[in-house]
Amino acid sequence: MLIFTNFDIKRYYNALKYDLILNGKKYVLFIAGLFVLLLIVDLIFIMDSYNEMGLYNGLIPEYKKQYNPNRYNKMFFITYMICALFAIGTAFPYLRNRKNASHYLMLPISVLEKFLIEFSIRIFGFSIIFIVLFWLGFKVAEIIFNMIDLSMPFEIRNFNLFHPFTYIAKSSDKVFVTLSLLSYATFLFAGASHFQKNAFFKTVLSLGLLSLLAYMFSLVLSYIFIPNEVSGFEVKILSRKLDSGMLNIQLYFYIIGVFSSLFLLPYAYFKLKEKEI
């Protein structure tokens, strides 16, 4: 078997184009389903915000007469994390059984090119498409909402394409959010490369166990350092501002985001390379 060890941009492009042609229908159906799902979720949240005005018996606060930007942002990040489970957590689908795995590993391209193709589609491509679909779905949901005969005025401001990121004022906060999402995405990607059978469920289970361990570790630290301020299963996190103006919690996530990405991406690559040997 001829094994390529170097990276060739032309070979990478041809292999990427081959993957898009071969799995084009699956990708189109996923994108269409994702758009419909986001449209329905957006419409539900808009209607929910509008219906909240009816709880004030005519004395409606001004801020309730418009769609809250914070709700838009929270909905974006929550839906991204949920949808990423299915888009990124199912990477390397050809490794799920021996027959497809052997055919996939024998493709005349290097391991790095196979790795970058999955990265380009599952992380980079999905993230760009999700940002566009979320914004577009909200716009269509807004049009449908405005077609309804409303008894009370309700304003929906014009959110731009990158509003969940541009709405964040501080650059340090933008880096914090970006690194958190990157860390989450690379964990799912590494899990898909590591596990062969039932990779999706094992990755989700690993994510849940890791979150539980982090919670338990934080709980133990809370009882060790500030026992008088915690009770039961409550976790108390001390937030302090550093000399640079950054919060200590942000610094922790910077470290986790940077080092987890530096570790998990090479780990996913070498697990793929290990399967070829």
mmCIF file of all heavy atoms in Angstrom, residues 18-37:
data_model
loop_
_atom_site.group_PDB
_atom_site.id
_atom_site.type_symbol
_atom_site.label_atom_id
_atom_site.label_comp_id
_atom_site.label_asym_id
_atom_site.label_seq_id
_atom_site.Cartn_x
_atom_site.Cartn_y
_atom_site.Cartn_z
ATOM 1 N N TYR A 18 -13.987 15.290 -3.422
ATOM 2 C CA TYR A 18 -14.523 13.935 -3.526
ATOM 3 C C TYR A 18 -15.455 13.630 -2.357
ATOM 4 O O TYR A 18 -16.526 13.036 -2.540
ATOM 5 C CB TYR A 18 -13.365 12.938 -3.563
ATOM 6 C CG TYR A 18 -13.798 11.491 -3.501
ATOM 7 C CD1 TYR A 18 -14.331 10.852 -4.615
ATOM 8 C CD2 TYR A 18 -13.678 10.759 -2.314
ATOM 9 C CE1 TYR A 18 -14.732 9.520 -4.559
ATOM 10 C CE2 TYR A 18 -14.069 9.436 -2.248
ATOM 11 C CZ TYR A 18 -14.601 8.820 -3.373
ATOM 12 O OH TYR A 18 -15.002 7.507 -3.314
ATOM 13 N N ASP A 19 -15.056 14.038 -1.149
ATOM 14 C CA ASP A 19 -15.891 13.817 0.034
ATOM 15 C C ASP A 19 -17.207 14.582 -0.078
ATOM 16 O O ASP A 19 -18.271 14.050 0.268
ATOM 17 C CB ASP A 19 -15.132 14.256 1.287
ATOM 18 C CG ASP A 19 -15.884 13.926 2.563
ATOM 19 O OD1 ASP A 19 -16.833 14.681 2.896
ATOM 20 O OD2 ASP A 19 -15.537 12.936 3.233
ATOM 21 N N LEU A 20 -17.157 15.822 -0.539
ATOM 22 C CA LEU A 20 -18.371 16.626 -0.677
ATOM 23 C C LEU A 20 -19.313 16.052 -1.725
ATOM 24 O O LEU A 20 -20.536 16.098 -1.563
ATOM 25 C CB LEU A 20 -18.004 18.070 -1.036
ATOM 26 C CG LEU A 20 -17.250 18.860 0.050
ATOM 27 C CD1 LEU A 20 -16.846 20.230 -0.466
ATOM 28 C CD2 LEU A 20 -18.096 18.992 1.310
ATOM 29 N N ILE A 21 -18.745 15.502 -2.800
ATOM 30 C CA ILE A 21 -19.586 14.880 -3.836
ATOM 31 C C ILE A 21 -20.192 13.581 -3.323
ATOM 32 O O ILE A 21 -21.381 13.303 -3.521
ATOM 33 C CB ILE A 21 -18.758 14.628 -5.114
ATOM 34 C CG1 ILE A 21 -18.338 15.959 -5.752
ATOM 35 C CG2 ILE A 21 -19.556 13.802 -6.113
ATOM 36 C CD1 ILE A 21 -17.399 15.792 -6.927
ATOM 37 N N LEU A 22 -19.361 12.778 -2.641
ATOM 38 C CA LEU A 22 -19.826 11.470 -2.154
ATOM 39 C C LEU A 22 -20.893 11.605 -1.079
ATOM 40 O O LEU A 22 -21.875 10.853 -1.063
ATOM 41 C CB LEU A 22 -18.624 10.687 -1.604
ATOM 42 C CG LEU A 22 -18.893 9.263 -1.113
ATOM 43 C CD1 LEU A 22 -19.330 8.379 -2.273
ATOM 44 C CD2 LEU A 22 -17.657 8.687 -0.439
ATOM 45 N N ASN A 23 -20.712 12.555 -0.177
ATOM 46 C CA ASN A 23 -21.643 12.723 0.952
ATOM 47 C C ASN A 23 -22.491 13.982 0.823
ATOM 48 O O ASN A 23 -23.048 14.452 1.818
ATOM 49 C CB ASN A 23 -20.853 12.781 2.268
ATOM 50 C CG ASN A 23 -20.031 11.524 2.511
ATOM 51 O OD1 ASN A 23 -20.568 10.436 2.589
ATOM 52 N ND2 ASN A 23 -18.713 11.688 2.605
ATOM 53 N N GLY A 24 -22.574 14.515 -0.393
ATOM 54 C CA GLY A 24 -23.292 15.768 -0.616
ATOM 55 C C GLY A 24 -24.734 15.731 -0.147
ATOM 56 O O GLY A 24 -25.217 16.672 0.495
ATOM 57 N N LYS A 25 -25.440 14.637 -0.439
ATOM 58 C CA LYS A 25 -26.846 14.534 -0.058
ATOM 59 C C LYS A 25 -27.015 14.550 1.459
ATOM 60 O O LYS A 25 -27.930 15.190 1.991
ATOM 61 C CB LYS A 25 -27.468 13.269 -0.650
ATOM 62 C CG LYS A 25 -27.631 13.310 -2.165
ATOM 63 C CD LYS A 25 -28.326 12.062 -2.672
ATOM 64 C CE LYS A 25 -28.512 12.124 -4.187
ATOM 65 N NZ LYS A 25 -29.180 10.899 -4.715
ATOM 66 N N LYS A 26 -26.126 13.843 2.156
ATOM 67 C CA LYS A 26 -26.198 13.817 3.623
ATOM 68 C C LYS A 26 -25.971 15.215 4.192
ATOM 69 O O LYS A 26 -26.679 15.639 5.112
ATOM 70 C CB LYS A 26 -25.154 12.855 4.184
ATOM 71 C CG LYS A 26 -25.386 11.403 3.838
ATOM 72 C CD LYS A 26 -24.305 10.526 4.442
ATOM 73 C CE LYS A 26 -24.514 9.061 4.073
ATOM 74 N NZ LYS A 26 -23.423 8.210 4.634
ATOM 75 N N TYR A 27 -25.001 15.925 3.643
ATOM 76 C CA TYR A 27 -24.702 17.264 4.141
ATOM 77 C C TYR A 27 -25.857 18.223 3.867
ATOM 78 O O TYR A 27 -26.209 19.045 4.727
ATOM 79 C CB TYR A 27 -23.415 17.794 3.498
ATOM 80 C CG TYR A 27 -22.172 17.011 3.860
ATOM 81 C CD1 TYR A 27 -21.108 16.884 2.971
ATOM 82 C CD2 TYR A 27 -22.057 16.379 5.101
ATOM 83 C CE1 TYR A 27 -19.968 16.171 3.296
ATOM 84 C CE2 TYR A 27 -20.926 15.659 5.436
ATOM 85 C CZ TYR A 27 -19.879 15.560 4.523
ATOM 86 O OH TYR A 27 -18.752 14.847 4.861
ATOM 87 N N VAL A 28 -26.446 18.113 2.681
ATOM 88 C CA VAL A 28 -27.571 18.994 2.329
ATOM 89 C C VAL A 28 -28.767 18.720 3.238
ATOM 90 O O VAL A 28 -29.432 19.658 3.713
ATOM 91 C CB VAL A 28 -27.959 18.819 0.846
ATOM 92 C CG1 VAL A 28 -29.271 19.539 0.540
ATOM 93 C CG2 VAL A 28 -26.850 19.352 -0.058
ATOM 94 N N LEU A 29 -29.058 17.432 3.484
ATOM 95 C CA LEU A 29 -30.178 17.080 4.363
ATOM 96 C C LEU A 29 -29.920 17.568 5.792
ATOM 97 O O LEU A 29 -30.842 18.038 6.469
ATOM 98 C CB LEU A 29 -30.390 15.566 4.359
ATOM 99 C CG LEU A 29 -31.005 14.971 3.089
ATOM 100 C CD1 LEU A 29 -31.037 13.453 3.168
ATOM 101 C CD2 LEU A 29 -32.410 15.519 2.854
ATOM 102 N N PHE A 30 -28.666 17.460 6.237
ATOM 103 C CA PHE A 30 -28.330 17.939 7.578
ATOM 104 C C PHE A 30 -28.511 19.451 7.671
ATOM 105 O O PHE A 30 -29.070 19.964 8.656
ATOM 106 C CB PHE A 30 -26.896 17.558 7.927
ATOM 107 C CG PHE A 30 -26.439 18.067 9.269
ATOM 108 C CD1 PHE A 30 -26.770 17.385 10.434
ATOM 109 C CD2 PHE A 30 -25.695 19.237 9.374
ATOM 110 C CE1 PHE A 30 -26.361 17.851 11.674
ATOM 111 C CE2 PHE A 30 -25.286 19.712 10.601
ATOM 112 C CZ PHE A 30 -25.614 19.024 11.759
ATOM 113 N N ILE A 31 -28.050 20.164 6.660
ATOM 114 C CA ILE A 31 -28.177 21.627 6.653
ATOM 115 C C ILE A 31 -29.645 22.031 6.620
ATOM 116 O O ILE A 31 -30.068 22.946 7.335
ATOM 117 C CB ILE A 31 -27.412 22.219 5.456
ATOM 118 C CG1 ILE A 31 -25.903 22.030 5.651
ATOM 119 C CG2 ILE A 31 -27.729 23.693 5.276
ATOM 120 C CD1 ILE A 31 -25.071 22.415 4.443
ATOM 121 N N ALA A 32 -30.448 21.346 5.775
ATOM 122 C CA ALA A 32 -31.879 21.657 5.687
ATOM 123 C C ALA A 32 -32.573 21.372 7.014
ATOM 124 O O ALA A 32 -33.381 22.183 7.499
ATOM 125 C CB ALA A 32 -32.518 20.847 4.562
ATOM 126 N N GLY A 33 -32.268 20.223 7.619
ATOM 127 C CA GLY A 33 -32.864 19.891 8.912
ATOM 128 C C GLY A 33 -32.436 20.858 9.997
ATOM 129 O O GLY A 33 -33.242 21.245 10.854
ATOM 130 N N LEU A 34 -31.170 21.271 9.961
ATOM 131 C CA LEU A 34 -30.665 22.232 10.942
ATOM 132 C C LEU A 34 -31.369 23.578 10.801
ATOM 133 O O LEU A 34 -31.735 24.207 11.807
ATOM 134 C CB LEU A 34 -29.159 22.406 10.763
ATOM 135 C CG LEU A 34 -28.455 23.389 11.705
ATOM 136 C CD1 LEU A 34 -28.636 22.957 13.159
ATOM 137 C CD2 LEU A 34 -26.972 23.488 11.354
ATOM 138 N N PHE A 35 -31.592 24.006 9.563
ATOM 139 C CA PHE A 35 -32.283 25.276 9.341
ATOM 140 C C PHE A 35 -33.713 25.230 9.870
ATOM 141 O O PHE A 35 -34.170 26.168 10.538
ATOM 142 C CB PHE A 35 -32.296 25.619 7.853
ATOM 143 C CG PHE A 35 -33.100 26.846 7.525
ATOM 144 C CD1 PHE A 35 -32.619 28.110 7.809
ATOM 145 C CD2 PHE A 35 -34.361 26.726 6.941
ATOM 146 C CE1 PHE A 35 -33.368 29.246 7.516
ATOM 147 C CE2 PHE A 35 -35.107 27.854 6.649
ATOM 148 C CZ PHE A 35 -34.610 29.117 6.942
ATOM 149 N N VAL A 36 -34.418 24.145 9.580
ATOM 150 C CA VAL A 36 -35.805 24.005 10.059
ATOM 151 C C VAL A 36 -35.835 23.986 11.581
ATOM 152 O O VAL A 36 -36.693 24.627 12.215
ATOM 153 C CB VAL A 36 -36.446 22.727 9.483
ATOM 154 C CG1 VAL A 36 -37.814 22.485 10.112
ATOM 155 C CG2 VAL A 36 -36.577 22.832 7.972
ATOM 156 N N LEU A 37 -34.908 23.262 12.185
ATOM 157 C CA LEU A 37 -34.845 23.183 13.642
ATOM 158 C C LEU A 37 -34.594 24.560 14.254
ATOM 159 O O LEU A 37 -35.280 24.965 15.210
ATOM 160 C CB LEU A 37 -33.739 22.219 14.064
ATOM 161 C CG LEU A 37 -33.452 22.121 15.567
ATOM 162 C CD1 LEU A 37 -34.663 21.547 16.299
ATOM 163 C CD2 LEU A 37 -32.221 21.270 15.823
#
